[in-house]
Amino acid sequence: MTRLPDFRLETYFSRWEFTARHHLTASDVQTMTLGELLSLADDKDREAFENLPLGYTETFGDPALREVIA
């Protein structure tokens, strides 16, 4: 089986991504734990997260989310 060459950018990130003092090439933000996120929520939002089912939603998206967006 032919071995593909290493993906150089991924090799670079695997070496430096979590050890560099400043990471200026990230395409995402620093993550939070769920606890940190919920500490920012009010009682209504915290209750919504605590009772959030993690199954599939309707094809066109959750009706409540669509209502807020509209």
Side-chain angles (χ1 to χ4, degrees), residues 12 15 22 25-26 28-29 31 33 48 50 57 65-66:
Y12 174 84
R15 180 170 182 194
H22 301 289
T25 63
D28 59 348
V29 298
T31 60
T33 66
E50 289 172 354
T57 187
L65 177 60
R66 294 182 67 208

Side-chain angles (χ1 to χ4, degrees), residues 6-41:
D6 289 342
F7 184 44
R8 291 177 59 188
L9 180 60
E10 200 58 38
T11 302
Y12 174 84
F13 278 146
S14 67
R15 180 170 182 194
W16 299 108
E17 184 174 11
F18 298 105
T19 59
R21 183 171 181 191
H22 301 289
H23 184 15
L24 303 178
T25 63
S27 60
D28 59 348
V29 298
Q30 184 63 35
T31 60
M32 304 173 105
T33 66
L34 187 53
E36 290 169 326
L37 178 63
L38 290 176
S39 74
L40 302 173

Side-chain angles (χ1 to χ4, degrees), residues 38-53:
L38 290 176
S39 74
L40 302 173
D42 60 21
D43 290 337
K44 180 181 174 188
D45 291 334
R46 193 175 301 105
E47 181 181 349
F49 264 99
E50 289 172 354
N51 295 301
L52 180 68

